[in-house]
Amino acid sequence: MNGSKCRVCKKPAIIDLPRHNANFCGEHLLQLCRRQVEKAISDHDMLSKDDKILVAVSGGKDSLAVWDILVELGYKADGLYVGLGIGEYSDVSHDFTKEFAEARRLHLRTIDLRSEYGYDVPTAAKVTSRVPCSACGLSKRHLFDAAALAGGYDVVVTGHNLDDEAAVLFGNALRWDVEYLARQYPVLPARDGFPKKVKPLVRLTEREMAAWCIVRGIDYQVEECPMALGNKHLAYKEALNAIERESPGSKSAFYLNFVEKMSPILAGLNEAATGGLNNCSVCGAPTTAETCAFCRLQERVSGHDPVPVELVLSKKGRKAYLAARG
Amino acid sequence: MNGSKCRVCKKPAIIDLPRHNANFCGEHLLQLCRRQVEKAISDHDMLSKDDKILVAVSGGKDSLAVWDILVELGYKADGLYVGLGIGEYSDVSHDFTKEFAEARRLHLRTIDLRSEYGYDVPTAAKVTSRVPCSACGLSKRHLFDAAALAGGYDVVVTGHNLDDEAAVLFGNALRWDVEYLARQYPVLPARDGFPKKVKPLVRLTEREMAAWCIVRGIDYQVEECPMALGNKHLAYKEALNAIERESPGSKSAFYLNFVEKMSPILAGLNEAATGGLNNCSVCGAPTTAETCAFCRLQERVSGHDPVPVELVLSKKGRKAYLAARG
C-alpha cells in the first residue's frame, strides 16, 4: 500500500477501495464490512436478534465471513455444509468449514450427498448430461430449505456477495428474463412451505470479503469450484470488472439501483405464477409436480458409480483445471 | 475467409457472421442487410413508401448505409449534414457525405454550426466546461427536428445500429435509469411539435454496416470522432463485445429482447412527464422552459473564437488522438 493511510485513523492502510475512494487499515476495513452488513439487514428487514438462523456454508470466503460477522454482531447462527463430492475441492472445503466452526465452538451440521443420497455432483452431471451447476444448485437449495424447516430455523442465510448478485443480474438483463429479474432480491420471504432466505453480503465485494477473512485469520478455500470454471457467470463478472476499473462504483450502482428503482416496477409480475403447490409424494417438500425436482434428480442419478471430476468439466474448465494443477 | 462458402449460394464468402453461424458472399450479405432493415421497418411501423424522409447523415458508415439502403428499397429520402466544426474530422466527414450524395444525385442539405449559429462543438465544450458529446447531441437533435418540421418531412431517420443501441441500453441498465430505459425504443412517434424519429439499423451491427459500405463501394469516414475517444459509450461497446465473443448472438438478444419483453413493462412510466410544453420564445421549438436548450446553448457559446480540437479532449482521448496521428 506504499505508505497510504487509513481514511478513518490515519494508521497504515492495508487495502484501497476505489469505489469508496479511500484506503483502510485492518480494523476499519472490518468496521466498514460490519456496517454494510448492518445496513443490508436493516434496509431489507432481513434478520432479528431473536431469529434462529441457518447459514449455508461452503468453506469459501463469503459463507465463512457472513457466519463470522453475524455471530460477532450477536446473531444466533448455526451452519450447514453440504458435501457435494467434487473430489479434492470438496474435501478441502469441508476441512476449512470444520476448522472454522470448531475454533469458534459453533454448531455445524453436515449433509453428504454421496453417503446420504447416493450421488454426487459430478455423477449427477454425467448421468443427466447437464452442466454440473444445475444439479448442484438444485441439491443445495432443496437441502438447505428442508434442513431449515426440519430444524425449526427462522431464516436461511447465504453468502452471496455484490459480485455474485451483480453477475447474476447482468446475465438476467442480457436476456431480459423478466421472471428471473422480478425474483432477484436480497430477501425472499417465507411462503408456501419455503423458509425465508436472505443475503446479508449484497453490499460487499469479493475482494472485501477476502480481506475480512485475512484480517480475521480465517482460512478458506481459495480455489474456484472446478465445475464452474469457464461458465458464463465468470465471464459476466469479468465484463463488470472491466467497467468497474474504468468507473469505480459502477458495479454497486448497477446492483443497488436495480433493487431500489427496478424491483418495485417488476414486483408483482410473478405473483400469478405462485400458488398451486402441493407436497412432494416422496419427501413432502412443496412442488408443482407429483414429486419434487430434488427427488426426481435423486431417483435418476443415485446408485451410479462416482464419476471423476475431470470427466465432467467443460473444454474451457478442463484447460483451467489442468493448468491450476501445473 | 480461407475458402469458406456463402450459406446461400456456396460461392466464396467475404464475411463470417458468428451470430448467424454462417458466412456470406457480398451479394447475400447485402440481401441479409436489406431484409433486416425491412423487418425493423415493418415490425415497428417505421416508414411508408409515401413518406417524405430526412436522413441525418454524418459521413460515417451507418448513416450513409441507411440512406443508401432506403433509396435502394424505394423510399424517398433526402439527407441533412450538420457541420460540427470538429477540425479535420468534420472536413473529411463532409467530403464523404457530399461525394455520396452527388454520385447518386440525392438531395443533401448542409447546416454549418459555425457560420450559421456562431459556434462549433469544441468551442461549446470549452465554454460550457462540459463533455463535447453533450453540446453535440443537443445541437444535432434540435437542428434535425427543426429542419424536418420546416421542410415538411414526415420522419427523421438516424443510422444508430445494434452496437450503438446495445451500448446505450447497457449504460442505462448499469444505472437503472428508468426514465431513459422507458424512452429507448426504435421508434419515437411524432408529438408535441417533435417529428417522428426512427432507427432502421437496430437489427444490424457496425461490422455488417462496414461490410455493406465496402461491397457497395461507399467511401466513408472510418475514424471515430476524436471528441468521443475514451468516453464510456466505447467502454460499454467493448464490454458487450467481450460477451459477444464468448456467446455469439448475446448482443442482439440483449437489445431485441429488451424491446420485446421490457419496453412494454416500462411503457407509460414516462407519460406523466410529458405535456406542459410551450414554444421557445426565440426559435419556436417545443420546450418546457421560456427558451429552448439549443437557443440557451447558442446564446452562451456563440461568438467565441474557435477552440482547437486538441484542447477539449479528455486525457484518454488526447492520448488516442495523438497516437492515431503517429
Side-chain angles (χ1 to χ4, degrees):
Chain A
M1 291 295 302
N2 298 325
S4 63
K5 294 194 166 65
C6 173
R7 169 158 84 183
V8 185
C9 69
K10 311 301 173 202
K11 286 183 191 159
I14 60 150
I15 191 169
D16 67 308
L17 298 181
R19 76 190 171 109
H20 294 290
N21 195 23
N23 306 306
F24 294 91
C25 71
E27 183 190 333
H28 289 109
L29 172 82
L30 298 186
Q31 184 189 65
L32 179 144
C33 292
R34 267 181 227 115
R35 286 183 178 171
Q36 293 291 340
V37 168
E38 287 177 315
K39 180 159 172 53
I41 290 174
S42 121
D43 281 357
H44 299 290
D45 209 2
M46 289 183 177
L47 301 170
S48 86
K49 294 277 161 85
D50 299 325
D51 281 341
K52 194 177 164 194
I53 297 167
L54 184 65
V55 181
V57 278
S58 68
K61 62 191 182 318
D62 305 302
S63 58
L64 294 181
V66 75
W67 197 4
D68 189 41
I69 295 171
L70 291 181
V71 170
E72 217 205 9
L73 291 173
Y75 291 94
K76 291 178 298 221
D78 296 340
L80 172 56
Y81 174 85
V82 175
L84 303 161
I86 306 175
E88 191 191 322
Y89 173 80
S90 285
D91 300 338
V92 172
S93 300
H94 192 195
D95 290 344
F96 283 123
T97 308
K98 280 188 294 189
E99 278 167 32
F100 175 89
E102 281 163 16
R104 285 157 182 79
R105 300 173 182 278
L106 294 170
H107 180 66
L108 173 69
R109 193 183 152 198
T110 296
I111 296 175
D112 185 70
L113 273 187
R114 170 58 63 184
S115 60
E116 297 180 45
Y117 294 92
Y119 71 93
D120 51 53
V121 165
T123 307
K126 183 76 183 168
V127 175
T128 58
S129 304
R130 298 196 57 184
V131 289
C133 302
S134 164
C136 182
L138 166 60
S139 303
K140 286 192 293 191
R141 273 192 305 277
H142 174 86
L143 294 170
F144 289 126
D145 287 356
L149 293 172
Y153 290 94
D154 298 295
V155 54
V156 173
V157 161
T158 58
H160 295 96
N161 60 39
L162 177 59
D163 295 78
D164 297 325
E165 293 300 295
V168 169
L169 178 59
F170 188 30
N172 290 336
L174 273 178
R175 292 180 299 273
W176 295 100
D177 190 319
V178 174
E179 199 183 314
Y180 280 34
L181 286 169
R183 214 182 287 157
Q184 195 174 359
Y185 202 70
V187 175
L188 278 179
R191 67 169 188 197
D192 300 328
F194 292 107
K196 179 176 181 181
K197 280 178 262 195
V198 305
K199 300 172 180 173
L201 299 187
V202 290
R203 302 182 63 89
L204 290 162
T205 65
E206 284 190 348
R207 195 160 154 267
E208 288 151 10
M209 295 336 294
W212 174 279
C213 288
I214 290 163
V215 174
R216 292 277 292 165
I218 298 169
D219 287 327
Y220 61 89
Q221 170 63 281
V222 294
E223 310 253 325
E224 282 286 350
C225 173
M227 304 274 112
L229 292 171
N231 77 5
K232 286 187 179 179
H233 193 68
L234 296 179
Y236 299 154
K237 281 192 177 175
E238 188 36 48
L240 289 172
N241 286 343
I243 299 288
E244 177 73 15
R245 280 192 293 274
E246 293 284 316
S247 308
S250 301
K251 199 191 291 172
S252 67
F254 176 55
Y255 178 69
L256 297 173
N257 284 347
F258 172 81
V259 170
E260 186 191 334
K261 299 189 202 172
M262 203 65 198
S263 291
I265 294 171
L266 298 172
L269 287 181
N270 278 349
E271 279 179 10
T274 66
L277 292 179
N278 49 269
N279 294 108
C280 170
S281 59
V282 180
C283 74
T287 174
T288 52
E290 165 76 18
T291 311
C292 77
F294 176 79
C295 289
R296 289 195 310 257
L297 176 71
Q298 195 201 347
E299 195 192 342
R300 184 162 170 208
V301 303
S302 72
H304 288 264
D305 281 341
V307 170
V309 168
E310 298 89 295
L311 284 188
V312 291
L313 297 175
S314 68
K315 213 163 117 187
K316 257 188 230 160
R318 190 171 304 126
K319 230 163 122 180
Y321 185 73
L322 296 174
R325 262 141 205 80
Chain B
M1 291 297 300
N2 298 324
S4 62
K5 294 193 165 67
C6 174
R7 170 159 81 182
V8 185
C9 68
K10 312 299 174 202
K11 286 184 191 159
I14 60 150
I15 190 169
D16 66 307
L17 298 181
R19 77 189 171 109
H20 293 291
N21 195 24
N23 306 304
F24 294 90
C25 72
E27 183 190 332
H28 290 109
L29 172 82
L30 298 185
Q31 183 190 65
L32 180 145
C33 291
R34 268 182 226 112
R35 286 183 177 170
Q36 293 292 339
V37 168
E38 286 177 315
K39 178 156 174 56
I41 291 174
S42 121
D43 281 355
H44 299 290
D45 209 3
M46 287 183 177
L47 302 170
S48 85
K49 293 279 161 80
D50 299 326
D51 280 341
K52 195 177 164 195
I53 297 166
L54 184 64
V55 181
V57 278
S58 68
K61 62 190 182 319
D62 304 303
S63 58
L64 295 181
V66 74
W67 197 3
D68 188 41
I69 295 171
L70 291 181
V71 170
E72 216 205 10
L73 290 174
Y75 290 94
K76 292 179 298 226
D78 295 341
L80 172 57
Y81 175 85
V82 175
L84 303 162
I86 306 176
E88 192 191 324
Y89 173 81
S90 286
D91 299 339
V92 172
S93 301
H94 193 195
D95 289 344
F96 283 123
T97 308
K98 280 188 294 191
E99 279 167 30
F100 174 90
E102 282 164 15
R104 286 157 182 79
R105 299 173 182 278
L106 294 169
H107 180 66
L108 173 69
R109 194 183 151 199
T110 296
I111 297 175
D112 186 70
L113 273 186
R114 171 59 62 184
S115 61
E116 296 180 47
Y117 295 92
Y119 71 93
D120 51 54
V121 165
T123 308
K126 183 79 184 164
V127 174
T128 59
S129 305
R130 298 195 56 183
V131 289
C133 303
S134 163
C136 182
L138 166 60
S139 303
K140 286 191 293 191
R141 273 192 304 277
H142 175 87
L143 294 170
F144 289 126
D145 287 355
L149 293 171
Y153 290 93
D154 298 294
V155 54
V156 173
V157 162
T158 57
H160 295 95
N161 60 38
L162 176 59
D163 295 80
D164 296 326
E165 293 300 295
V168 170
L169 178 60
F170 188 29
N172 289 336
L174 272 178
R175 291 180 300 273
W176 294 100
D177 190 320
V178 174
E179 200 182 314
Y180 280 35
L181 286 170
R183 214 182 287 157
Q184 193 174 357
Y185 202 71
V187 174
L188 278 179
R191 67 171 188 196
D192 300 328
F194 292 107
K196 179 176 180 180
K197 281 178 261 194
V198 305
K199 301 171 181 173
L201 300 187
V202 289
R203 303 181 62 89
L204 289 161
T205 65
E206 283 190 349
R207 194 160 155 267
E208 288 152 10
M209 295 335 294
W212 173 279
C213 288
I214 290 163
V215 174
R216 292 277 293 164
I218 298 168
D219 287 327
Y220 62 89
Q221 170 63 280
V222 294
E223 310 252 327
E224 283 286 350
C225 173
M227 303 273 113
L229 292 172
N231 78 5
K232 286 187 180 182
H233 192 69
L234 296 180
Y236 299 154
K237 282 191 175 175
E238 187 38 46
L240 289 173
N241 286 342
I243 299 287
E244 177 73 14
R245 280 190 295 273
E246 293 284 316
S247 309
S250 301
K251 199 192 290 170
S252 67
F254 175 56
Y255 178 70
L256 297 174
N257 284 347
F258 173 81
V259 169
E260 185 191 333
K261 299 189 201 173
M262 203 65 200
S263 292
I265 293 171
L266 298 172
L269 287 180
N270 278 349
E271 279 179 9
T274 65
L277 292 179
N278 49 269
N279 294 108
C280 171
S281 59
V282 180
C283 75
T287 174
T288 52
E290 166 75 19
T291 313
C292 76
F294 177 80
C295 289
R296 289 193 310 249
L297 176 72
Q298 194 202 347
E299 195 190 342
R300 185 161 168 208
V301 303
S302 71
H304 288 263
D305 282 341
V307 170
V309 168
E310 298 88 295
L311 284 189
V312 290
L313 297 176
S314 67
K315 213 162 115 187
K316 256 187 232 163
R318 189 171 307 125
K319 230 162 121 182
Y321 185 74
L322 295 174
R325 263 144 204 79

